[in-house]
Amino acid sequence: MAQAGQKRPVLTAVIGLVLIAALTLAAFNYEAIFSGPTRYTAEFPEAAGLQANDRVTVAGVEAGRVQDVSLDGDHVKIEFTVEDAWVGNRTTASIEIATLLGSKFLALDPRGDAEQDPDQPIGRDRTKSPFDVVDAFNGLSGTIDQLDTTQLAPSLTTLSDTF
């Protein structure tokens, strides 16, 4: 047994080598160990039902979550995080329909030759909202009101006779 004041050189060397190895590994893997997901912003003309905590996919693979959906002047600002995926400086973003019940997700199509700056939003020129059935039916009712049924009836009769 070692007396007070005596040193244990082997134990000290082993502890020193373990500390050096741990610090070296931490230095080379700093970003993977200490960084979290990257936060981005995208601008859309409308939210289309997208909500906080909805999925974010990059090239079809889930890579993050929507953090916030808020009105910012004449557009909607969507803040989202992406982890372990590349987002390029020409990436496009679209709000997609996930289920028949209407839940949505944010889909990113990674494009570009440099990484997207997290401080710069993905502009409205690179975003797309989903097709809205309500808007389509509203447009259809306006179109139907403009039909000339007296001209349409003979056309449909001719078409029916042909078949």
Side-chain angles (χ1 to χ4, degrees), residues 138-152:
N138 287 341
L140 180 63
S141 68
T143 302
I144 289 175
D145 289 343
Q146 296 175 2
L147 286 178
D148 182 4
T149 54
T150 56
Q151 184 180 0
L152 183 62

Side-chain angles (χ1 to χ4, degrees), residues 17-39:
L17 288 174
V18 168
L19 280 172
I20 290 172
L23 289 172
T24 303
L25 282 173
F28 282 110
N29 296 303
Y30 176 81
E31 189 171 315
I33 295 171
F34 297 109
S35 69
T38 306
R39 192 175 188 115

Side-chain angles (χ1 to χ4, degrees), residues 38-41 115-121:
T38 306
R39 192 175 188 115
Y40 295 99
T41 303
E115 195 166 336
Q116 173 72 27
D117 181 359
D119 295 329
Q120 295 295 318

